[in-house]
Amino acid sequence: MRINHNIAALNTYNKLSANQAATSKSLEKLSSGLKINKAGDNAAGLAISEKMRGQIRGLDQASANASDGISLINTAEGGLSETHSILQRMRELAVQSSNDTNTTTDRKEIQKEIDQLTSEVDRISTDTEFNTQKLLNGDKATKINTNGYAGITSPNDVSVEKSVATGTYTATVAVEAATVAQSTTYNQIATKTDASGDVKSFTFAGASGGSYSGTVVAAGSTVAGSGVAAAGSGADSLATALHLAKGDYTIELKSEGSGGIDATFILKNSAGTEVASGTATGSGVTVSGIKFTSATGSGTLTTSDYSAVSGSIGTSSDLTVAAGYKIGATGAATVSSGLEAASNLNVTLSSTAAIGDSFTINVGAAAKPEATLTGADLDKGTYTIAVTAYDKALDTATIALQDANGNAVKDTAGNAVTYSGSLTSDNISLAGVKVTGSSVTGTGTSTFEITKAQVSEVALTNSAGAEVEGLTFNLNENAVNGETFTVNVDASNEMKFQIGANEKQSTALSISAMGSKDLGIDKLDLTTQAGADAAITTINDAITSTSSERAKLGAVQNRLEHTINNLSTSSENATSAESRIRDVDMAKEMMEFTKNNILSQAAQSMLAQANQQPQGVLQLLQ
């Protein structure tokens, strides 16, 4: 037996110390609820857990940032909501002032309210703030410079849809032409009469075809032999002067007068209806253009008195108009009712034609207005080229573009798309639709259909040649397919919302300036009818711009709401993962604590027993 070293007691003591240490760790975990209380508990687990804690807290703060961003957007959108209300009132006033029931004084009173509303739009723009930051005065806008590119009318024609980094970009224009269906025949209508009302010729010159209408207004005739002659001119001239139609006529002495002076005559047709009358004067007798020699005798009129009449009062002479009126030169080709092309059209009527008759000649169109739509700024649909105010002598006309309902197509400024001037030009253009002047030779219409509207796009590339999205360009008719221009972007003032736990996890928002000058309503003049009428379109454009800005803000707000939902989910999942690493399983740890506690108590008891063993040595020493 050894007394210098109590090996059993030492062994029991070591076990007791270990059990007590394990029990102490279990008590620490049970009291803190954490599986890792210090690096010694799990060095790798502690590093992972701390990294995840940083991520979780970042996600929670990003969610709060997004909520703050929504509050800012709500503030800006609230200001624009009131701007919208003001614009609607301004439009109402413009419609009121454009009515001519208002006097000049009335319109001046309306202008007073317009001026105040304009000032309020400016006040909203300058005074709308969030956390002392102005939102609607342009301080938070991305600045775009297109360097004077002719295809863009104004800076407002470039809109920022999403963030684009500050820098210089190359813009390439792509214009996809509209597709046009086959147009219908170009119908032209012309009615030809000369200034005197007597058509000496009936010619449609330079016509490419169409539907022509004519009216018989006057011409010459021939008279069959009857022994009747007009003084100094002949029977043919007699019928011509009276504009007689084909038929039998009677000229009758109605009264003798005094010595042949003041004698009266009448001309009757075959039905006995009077068609003309006349009275003898001192130098002769005229019956609606028929002139007889002077009367020298009294009583019975004789041939020597009036070469066209013989007999006494009540006697008459007959004459017959053998041919009706003709229009056009003798021997000119008669146009049939069928269709045929003609560059110069002479019409000769048959002997059955009479004054007042109308007729229509259909001539096939040799050409249609050319529709070259490479630059046409038109939507898909059916359109009509309408020709009015046609002047054949001057070769001029007014050409208008109409939609399928007959309404005038208007440009971006609200003005009807028309052309007035010479038809000799080869560059007549209506909203990009080229009309060949030589095909317009009368008043009428030509319908064409756009089956696919023109698409104009701009591809933005950076210095590395990579395409960049975020800017939308509204091009005008000067944009040419394939051309390029430089775009400078300054995004230093746009707002950044940190919506993630890490670097570059942000979204940007550019808020345009929304003052009266920016909306184009700073110079509204409702003191005249014309000014009020023009203001309606101007205010419409301002309403559209405000709607576009509010829509952009609303889109970002909706995005941030989804961002918050996503961040909350991410934070929840990351917290769950961190909990599995760091949090203690209380039930399992209680089992471990109970085990270690029992072992500690057992070791303590065994240590007492081990300390009693050396007492046996005293028995040997007695």
Side-chain angles (χ1 to χ4, degrees), residues 440-464:
V440 180
T441 56
T443 58
T445 61
S446 178
T447 302
F448 62 94
E449 182 179 0
I450 296 179
T451 56
K452 182 180 68 176
Q454 174 180 297
V455 179
S456 300
E457 296 179 342
V458 175
L460 206 64
T461 54
N462 58 22
S463 57

mmCIF file of all heavy atoms in Angstrom, residues 440-464:
data_model
loop_
_atom_site.group_PDB
_atom_site.id
_atom_site.type_symbol
_atom_site.label_atom_id
_atom_site.label_comp_id
_atom_site.label_asym_id
_atom_site.label_seq_id
_atom_site.Cartn_x
_atom_site.Cartn_y
_atom_site.Cartn_z
ATOM 1 N N VAL A 440 -52.074 63.728 -108.684
ATOM 2 C CA VAL A 440 -53.197 64.479 -108.120
ATOM 3 C C VAL A 440 -53.688 65.456 -109.182
ATOM 4 O O VAL A 440 -53.040 66.450 -109.468
ATOM 5 C CB VAL A 440 -52.762 65.243 -106.851
ATOM 6 C CG1 VAL A 440 -53.941 66.010 -106.282
ATOM 7 C CG2 VAL A 440 -52.202 64.279 -105.829
ATOM 8 N N THR A 441 -54.816 65.151 -109.819
ATOM 9 C CA THR A 441 -55.325 66.017 -110.882
ATOM 10 C C THR A 441 -56.801 66.330 -110.689
ATOM 11 O O THR A 441 -57.517 66.590 -111.622
ATOM 12 C CB THR A 441 -55.131 65.350 -112.255
ATOM 13 O OG1 THR A 441 -55.764 64.071 -112.231
ATOM 14 C CG2 THR A 441 -53.674 65.203 -112.575
ATOM 15 N N GLY A 442 -57.277 66.303 -109.494
ATOM 16 C CA GLY A 442 -58.670 66.620 -109.222
ATOM 17 C C GLY A 442 -58.938 66.500 -107.751
ATOM 18 O O GLY A 442 -58.040 66.221 -106.958
ATOM 19 N N THR A 443 -60.163 66.706 -107.359
ATOM 20 C CA THR A 443 -60.510 66.530 -105.953
ATOM 21 C C THR A 443 -60.998 65.108 -105.746
ATOM 22 O O THR A 443 -61.729 64.567 -106.566
ATOM 23 C CB THR A 443 -61.606 67.514 -105.544
ATOM 24 O OG1 THR A 443 -62.742 67.304 -106.381
ATOM 25 C CG2 THR A 443 -61.135 68.940 -105.689
ATOM 26 N N GLY A 444 -60.602 64.503 -104.675
ATOM 27 C CA GLY A 444 -61.011 63.132 -104.407
ATOM 28 C C GLY A 444 -60.213 62.542 -103.277
ATOM 29 O O GLY A 444 -59.573 63.253 -102.511
ATOM 30 N N THR A 445 -60.220 61.241 -103.177
ATOM 31 C CA THR A 445 -59.535 60.577 -102.076
ATOM 32 C C THR A 445 -58.791 59.350 -102.572
ATOM 33 O O THR A 445 -59.119 58.769 -103.604
ATOM 34 C CB THR A 445 -60.539 60.113 -100.990
ATOM 35 O OG1 THR A 445 -61.456 59.181 -101.578
ATOM 36 C CG2 THR A 445 -61.305 61.281 -100.422
ATOM 37 N N SER A 446 -57.790 58.977 -101.827
ATOM 38 C CA SER A 446 -57.080 57.721 -102.043
ATOM 39 C C SER A 446 -56.854 57.084 -100.683
ATOM 40 O O SER A 446 -56.269 57.701 -99.799
ATOM 41 C CB SER A 446 -55.750 57.962 -102.744
ATOM 42 O OG SER A 446 -55.054 56.730 -102.891
ATOM 43 N N THR A 447 -57.347 55.893 -100.497
ATOM 44 C CA THR A 447 -57.252 55.219 -99.199
ATOM 45 C C THR A 447 -56.104 54.222 -99.201
ATOM 46 O O THR A 447 -55.911 53.479 -100.161
ATOM 47 C CB THR A 447 -58.562 54.486 -98.872
ATOM 48 O OG1 THR A 447 -59.621 55.431 -98.869
ATOM 49 C CG2 THR A 447 -58.487 53.819 -97.505
ATOM 50 N N PHE A 448 -55.330 54.217 -98.151
ATOM 51 C CA PHE A 448 -54.281 53.217 -97.988
ATOM 52 C C PHE A 448 -54.297 52.724 -96.546
ATOM 53 O O PHE A 448 -54.787 53.405 -95.650
ATOM 54 C CB PHE A 448 -52.898 53.777 -98.353
ATOM 55 C CG PHE A 448 -52.452 54.919 -97.489
ATOM 56 C CD1 PHE A 448 -51.657 54.688 -96.378
ATOM 57 C CD2 PHE A 448 -52.825 56.216 -97.780
ATOM 58 C CE1 PHE A 448 -51.249 55.730 -95.577
ATOM 59 C CE2 PHE A 448 -52.419 57.274 -96.990
ATOM 60 C CZ PHE A 448 -51.630 57.028 -95.883
ATOM 61 N N GLU A 449 -53.778 51.563 -96.339
ATOM 62 C CA GLU A 449 -53.827 50.951 -95.009
ATOM 63 C C GLU A 449 -52.424 50.629 -94.531
ATOM 64 O O GLU A 449 -51.622 50.047 -95.273
ATOM 65 C CB GLU A 449 -54.662 49.667 -95.029
ATOM 66 C CG GLU A 449 -54.791 49.013 -93.657
ATOM 67 C CD GLU A 449 -55.636 47.758 -93.689
ATOM 68 O OE1 GLU A 449 -56.109 47.409 -94.777
ATOM 69 O OE2 GLU A 449 -55.812 47.140 -92.633
ATOM 70 N N ILE A 450 -52.138 51.023 -93.299
ATOM 71 C CA ILE A 450 -50.867 50.673 -92.673
ATOM 72 C C ILE A 450 -51.091 49.409 -91.855
ATOM 73 O O ILE A 450 -51.850 49.413 -90.878
ATOM 74 C CB ILE A 450 -50.352 51.816 -91.785
ATOM 75 C CG1 ILE A 450 -50.050 53.049 -92.646
ATOM 76 C CG2 ILE A 450 -49.104 51.394 -91.020
ATOM 77 C CD1 ILE A 450 -49.559 54.232 -91.854
ATOM 78 N N THR A 451 -50.504 48.323 -92.289
ATOM 79 C CA THR A 451 -50.711 47.047 -91.594
ATOM 80 C C THR A 451 -49.736 46.850 -90.442
ATOM 81 O O THR A 451 -49.967 46.041 -89.560
ATOM 82 C CB THR A 451 -50.562 45.880 -92.582
ATOM 83 O OG1 THR A 451 -49.267 45.953 -93.210
ATOM 84 C CG2 THR A 451 -51.631 45.958 -93.665
ATOM 85 N N LYS A 452 -48.648 47.582 -90.465
ATOM 86 C CA LYS A 452 -47.703 47.524 -89.350
ATOM 87 C C LYS A 452 -47.137 48.910 -89.158
ATOM 88 O O LYS A 452 -46.571 49.498 -90.069
ATOM 89 C CB LYS A 452 -46.569 46.542 -89.636
ATOM 90 C CG LYS A 452 -45.579 46.401 -88.476
ATOM 91 C CD LYS A 452 -44.476 45.413 -88.796
ATOM 92 C CE LYS A 452 -43.566 45.938 -89.882
ATOM 93 N NZ LYS A 452 -42.426 45.043 -90.151
ATOM 94 N N ALA A 453 -47.359 49.471 -87.977
ATOM 95 C CA ALA A 453 -46.911 50.839 -87.716
ATOM 96 C C ALA A 453 -45.390 50.903 -87.682
ATOM 97 O O ALA A 453 -44.709 49.919 -87.413
ATOM 98 C CB ALA A 453 -47.490 51.341 -86.394
ATOM 99 N N GLN A 454 -44.868 52.082 -87.952
ATOM 100 C CA GLN A 454 -43.430 52.294 -87.904
ATOM 101 C C GLN A 454 -42.911 52.177 -86.481
ATOM 102 O O GLN A 454 -43.556 52.605 -85.531
ATOM 103 C CB GLN A 454 -43.103 53.673 -88.458
ATOM 104 C CG GLN A 454 -41.646 54.054 -88.310
ATOM 105 C CD GLN A 454 -41.398 55.427 -88.877
ATOM 106 O OE1 GLN A 454 -41.566 55.649 -90.059
ATOM 107 N NE2 GLN A 454 -40.992 56.355 -88.041
ATOM 108 N N VAL A 455 -41.757 51.580 -86.337
ATOM 109 C CA VAL A 455 -41.109 51.459 -85.033
ATOM 110 C C VAL A 455 -39.762 52.173 -85.096
ATOM 111 O O VAL A 455 -38.936 51.883 -85.963
ATOM 112 C CB VAL A 455 -40.894 49.978 -84.653
ATOM 113 C CG1 VAL A 455 -40.186 49.886 -83.310
ATOM 114 C CG2 VAL A 455 -42.228 49.251 -84.593
ATOM 115 N N SER A 456 -39.570 53.129 -84.217
ATOM 116 C CA SER A 456 -38.302 53.852 -84.139
ATOM 117 C C SER A 456 -37.648 53.543 -82.798
ATOM 118 O O SER A 456 -38.251 53.764 -81.752
ATOM 119 C CB SER A 456 -38.531 55.361 -84.281
ATOM 120 O OG SER A 456 -39.135 55.657 -85.515
ATOM 121 N N GLU A 457 -36.446 53.029 -82.843
ATOM 122 C CA GLU A 457 -35.761 52.646 -81.617
ATOM 123 C C GLU A 457 -34.358 53.240 -81.592
ATOM 124 O O GLU A 457 -33.784 53.560 -82.641
ATOM 125 C CB GLU A 457 -35.677 51.122 -81.496
ATOM 126 C CG GLU A 457 -37.037 50.436 -81.380
ATOM 127 C CD GLU A 457 -36.914 48.935 -81.279
ATOM 128 O OE1 GLU A 457 -35.821 48.422 -81.634
ATOM 129 O OE2 GLU A 457 -37.874 48.276 -80.856
ATOM 130 N N VAL A 458 -33.829 53.359 -80.379
ATOM 131 C CA VAL A 458 -32.459 53.837 -80.201
ATOM 132 C C VAL A 458 -31.723 52.844 -79.319
ATOM 133 O O VAL A 458 -32.171 52.546 -78.208
ATOM 134 C CB VAL A 458 -32.429 55.238 -79.552
ATOM 135 C CG1 VAL A 458 -30.994 55.660 -79.274
ATOM 136 C CG2 VAL A 458 -33.108 56.256 -80.455
ATOM 137 N N ALA A 459 -30.641 52.305 -79.839
ATOM 138 C CA ALA A 459 -29.800 51.386 -79.063
ATOM 139 C C ALA A 459 -28.660 52.184 -78.444
ATOM 140 O O ALA A 459 -27.908 52.869 -79.145
ATOM 141 C CB ALA A 459 -29.251 50.280 -79.955
ATOM 142 N N LEU A 460 -28.542 52.102 -77.117
ATOM 143 C CA LEU A 460 -27.523 52.847 -76.382
ATOM 144 C C LEU A 460 -26.403 51.889 -75.983
ATOM 145 O O LEU A 460 -26.658 50.848 -75.382
ATOM 146 C CB LEU A 460 -28.153 53.479 -75.136
ATOM 147 C CG LEU A 460 -27.488 54.734 -74.571
ATOM 148 C CD1 LEU A 460 -27.583 55.868 -75.567
ATOM 149 C CD2 LEU A 460 -28.166 55.117 -73.267
ATOM 150 N N THR A 461 -25.167 52.236 -76.343
ATOM 151 C CA THR A 461 -24.026 51.388 -76.011
ATOM 152 C C THR A 461 -22.964 52.204 -75.296
ATOM 153 O O THR A 461 -22.792 53.402 -75.565
ATOM 154 C CB THR A 461 -23.414 50.755 -77.277
ATOM 155 O OG1 THR A 461 -23.094 51.788 -78.219
ATOM 156 C CG2 THR A 461 -24.385 49.783 -77.924
ATOM 157 N N ASN A 462 -22.237 51.539 -74.385
ATOM 158 C CA ASN A 462 -21.169 52.222 -73.665
ATOM 159 C C ASN A 462 -19.857 52.115 -74.435
ATOM 160 O O ASN A 462 -19.818 51.616 -75.566
ATOM 161 C CB ASN A 462 -21.030 51.642 -72.252
ATOM 162 C CG ASN A 462 -20.761 50.151 -72.263
ATOM 163 O OD1 ASN A 462 -20.279 49.596 -73.255
ATOM 164 N ND2 ASN A 462 -21.071 49.476 -71.160
ATOM 165 N N SER A 463 -18.783 52.585 -73.816
ATOM 166 C CA SER A 463 -17.483 52.619 -74.502
ATOM 167 C C SER A 463 -16.979 51.229 -74.851
ATOM 168 O O SER A 463 -16.187 51.064 -75.778
ATOM 169 C CB SER A 463 -16.461 53.354 -73.640
ATOM 170 O OG SER A 463 -16.352 52.719 -72.362
ATOM 171 N N ALA A 464 -17.448 50.213 -74.100
ATOM 172 C CA ALA A 464 -17.022 48.841 -74.365
ATOM 173 C C ALA A 464 -17.883 48.162 -75.422
ATOM 174 O O ALA A 464 -17.648 47.005 -75.782
ATOM 175 C CB ALA A 464 -17.056 48.022 -73.072
#
